[in-house]
Amino acid sequence: MLFLLLATLLITGYFIRDSMDKWEAPEAAMPRRWKTLLASEVRFYSSLDIDKKHLFEYKVMEFLANCKITPIETKVHDLDRLLIAASAVIPIFAFPEWKYYNLDEVLLYSSSFNDNFETEGEDRRIFGMVGTGYMEGKMILSRGALRQGFQNESDRRNTAIHEFVHLIDKADGVIDGVPSLLFEKQYVLPWFDMVEKKIHEIETDRSDIRPYGATNRAEFFAVLCEYFFECPKLLERKHPQLYDYLEMIFHQRLSEREFKIVDAEIGRNDPCPCDSGKKFKRCCGDVV
Ligand SMILES: [Zn+2]
Ligand SMILES: [Zn+2]
């Protein structure tokens, strides 16, 4: 009897968990105006062929249908929503089945924050983070860093992609610099050796990888992914072995792609494609 009860509990538990893990399909296709914004602001999307663009749009709509975006002391524009979703989709683009079950809300702050999530005062060094403990399932991003990540094409920095890479890393339970779900076991030890060596190069000032990458393996992986998704050709030239690993992990041959805005860019004085009736520069395109 007890056994039966336990079994029932286990099975119900399984199904509850299973239904929690279900992401809903987006209700509508992406509105035209959002495609215009993506095409003008996200090089990764803009340089895709038409079929891949449709997939990207679907994944963006799916993300937005399942993850809440909450502005804290700031406004959230359509472009902010799109950039957050794009940052989620870019790293997993080769895995259309991927869903961020470990995320249900992104809190968008106006600027950088400190360890207590305060946006004023000193010591505000944090531009993004993945929540743990009571903040489990939440990501915090600064709007300035989010925008900057897509505006500057050569600084090898993209805060939002960095945070989503932590979530991908975390999908196996721990943020340790090894996204086990995407990583074949036999490569883990050689990967650790390589990371050790590369962190040492940073510490001894012989690397163009951002010093923050030397913090630990997990930060190294996230910092390296910013480099990979922003300047893949440069990464391949400077760190061919690291590049090969990332290509293998993410199944994306990025160094072969031309990243540029191939669709018409929106002029600063054009009407904003989000249909607010304002000029682009006073709406989604405002400088933060
Ligand atoms: Zn990090
Ligand atoms: Zn707008």
Side-chain angles (χ1 to χ4, degrees), residues 128 162-163 166 212 218-219 222:
H162 177 113
E163 300 309 329
H166 279 322
Y212 188 65
E219 294 307 336

Side-chain angles (χ1 to χ4, degrees), residues 19-30 57-67 96-99 101:
S19 66
M20 266 167 50
D21 280 354
K22 282 257 150 53
W23 259 24
E24 283 167 26
E27 278 173 15
M30 179 177 282
E57 290 154 13
Y58 180 86
K59 293 300 288 178
V60 162
M61 294 306 282
E62 180 189 57
F63 179 86
L64 292 174
N66 291 279
C67 179
E97 296 307 313
W98 185 279
K99 293 168 178 51
Y101 294 130

Side-chain angles (χ1 to χ4, degrees), residues 75-285:
K75 269 201 323 203
V76 52
H77 290 285
D78 283 1
L79 182 58
D80 299 311
R81 291 181 202 285
L82 288 172
L83 293 184
I84 291 170
S87 310
V89 171
I90 287 170
I92 51 83
F93 192 56
F95 306 94
E97 296 307 313
W98 185 279
K99 293 168 178 51
Y100 288 94
Y101 294 130
N102 53 7
L103 181 71
D104 46 48
E105 189 175 18
V106 175
L107 307 176
L108 189 67
Y109 281 69
S110 58
S111 62
S112 55
F113 45 90
N114 63 19
D115 293 333
N116 299 318
F117 314 120
E118 292 161 345
T119 51
E120 270 165 36
E122 310 219 330
D123 215 23
R124 294 179 296 120
R125 295 162 289 105
I126 307 175
F127 295 102
M129 67 186 295
V130 166
T132 51
Y134 74 99
M135 292 291 283
E136 192 73 39
K138 301 197 192 316
M139 176 186 290
I140 309 175
L141 285 175
S142 117
R143 189 163 171 260
L146 171 70
R147 294 294 186 95
Q148 190 62 27
F150 287 89
Q151 272 159 13
N152 189 318
E153 311 191 342
S154 58
D155 64 355
R156 289 159 276 154
R157 291 193 68 153
N158 187 310
T159 299
I161 287 184
H162 177 113
E163 300 309 329
F164 279 101
V165 165
H166 279 322
L167 281 185
I168 294 165
D169 184 352
K170 196 185 182 201
D172 56 26
V174 271
I175 304 185
D176 58 357
V178 182
S180 303
L181 299 181
L182 309 179
F183 217 106
E184 288 176 43
K185 267 208 181 76
Q186 74 263 33
Y187 296 118
V188 172
L189 286 179
W191 167 251
F192 280 163
D193 287 344
M194 165 102 63
V195 170
E196 210 85 328
K197 205 177 92 195
K198 292 293 178 181
I199 287 184
H200 187 67
E201 285 178 16
I202 299 176
E203 287 167 343
T204 49
D205 235 1
R206 291 178 292 134
S207 181
D208 67 333
I209 298 172
R210 190 148 68 82
Y212 188 65
T215 311
N216 56 43
R217 282 175 189 161
E219 294 307 336
F220 180 83
F221 181 57
V223 165
L224 184 66
C225 288
E226 294 178 67
Y227 196 151
F228 178 68
F229 288 107
E230 188 139 304
C231 296
K233 285 184 204 295
L234 187 67
L235 182 68
E236 190 183 37
R237 211 166 61 234
K238 297 232 176 191
H239 309 271
Q241 289 169 305
L242 285 177
Y243 174 86
D244 286 346
Y245 267 104
L246 293 199
E247 199 178 88
M248 181 180 77
I249 293 170
F250 293 106
H251 292 206
Q252 299 194 53
R253 293 228 153 125
L254 290 191
S255 68
E256 288 172 11
R257 278 185 50 196
E258 272 327 310
F259 281 116
K260 49 182 189 236
I261 298 289
V262 285
D263 306 83
E265 272 187 77
I266 307 165
R268 309 275 313 141
N269 285 311
D270 291 347
C272 192
C274 81
D275 269 359
S276 62
K278 294 184 207 158
K279 286 182 179 178
F280 182 60
K281 68 178 178 189
R282 303 234 175 278
C283 186
C284 289

